[in-house]
Amino acid sequence: MTQKDITFVADFLTEHFNEAPELYNRKGKYFNVERVGQYLKDEDDDLVSPPNTEGNQWFNFLKNSTHLKESPLLFPYYPEKSLHFVKRQMEGVIDQCLQKPADVIGKSVHQAVCMSLYKTSQSEDSTPRLFKLPFLWNDKTSNIHYVLFTILEESISKIYILRRHTDTVRSISNGILAVEFGNFLNNTINESSDSRCYSCLDAHFYDDETVTVVLKESVEQEGKERVLAQLPLS
């Protein structure tokens, strides 16, 4: 170590670890610990060197305000506590605020309809992932909620459209239907159905009346064709 390093360490010790007789009767070390580190300790004990709030404009403002002084909207200040303590207090208040809406919303949700889409084996380990790319869309004009998805085991060339009225009392005809792409992009009627078969890579609603799909050729060959198609819901 150089003399400069020793001087730096000596200055640090002199500044932060002076003996503090007024702390002798307190639990823990009898030194003025580094002021930053004390805030980061995950303890409920009071700070060894609490901050000096004298002259703080915010505290003076609160002290002189009759309405804000006891306001329940202001989070209480704990000048003697670490940030970990304050964090736990704040988390508790936030959890309490969110509990009531969670209870109210939870009690208002109920099952409107149940549809069996597919059956799987009893063993979870052997169950393949069958449900793919669910996309939600809410048509506010018609008050209809849509879900787009595919079922891999059923058919890779089909996309399913589930629709429900946002008013659960009302029902919709053709609540669920499947759109099969297959060989619909063939140029001529003579083309074999196996030569140009397409499956759906992704699907999203473009607007209330149009669905955008990304298709790919299902035939195993180089340079598989990709198609971006806009399909009208009608």
Side-chain angles (χ1 to χ4, degrees), residues 131-172:
F131 203 67
K132 190 184 176 187
L133 57 93
F135 179 77
L136 310 179
W137 180 266
N138 187 18
D139 183 351
K140 293 182 175 61
T141 306
S142 305
N143 294 325
I144 297 177
H145 195 68
Y146 290 91
V147 184
L148 293 179
F149 62 93
T150 57
I151 301 177
L152 301 182
E153 194 175 77
E154 183 75 18
S155 174
I156 58 174
S157 63
K158 287 181 183 176
I159 183 170
Y160 292 84
I161 303 177
L162 171 67
R163 59 179 188 168
R164 296 286 302 171
H165 205 284
T166 52
D167 182 357
T168 55
V169 178
R170 301 178 60 182
S171 60
I172 297 177

Side-chain angles (χ1 to χ4, degrees), residues 75-76 78 87-98:
F75 193 78
Y78 303 95
K87 175 176 175 286
R88 283 195 297 271
Q89 294 290 319
M90 182 175 288
E91 286 174 343
V93 172
I94 293 174
D95 289 342
Q96 190 177 0
C97 290
L98 296 178

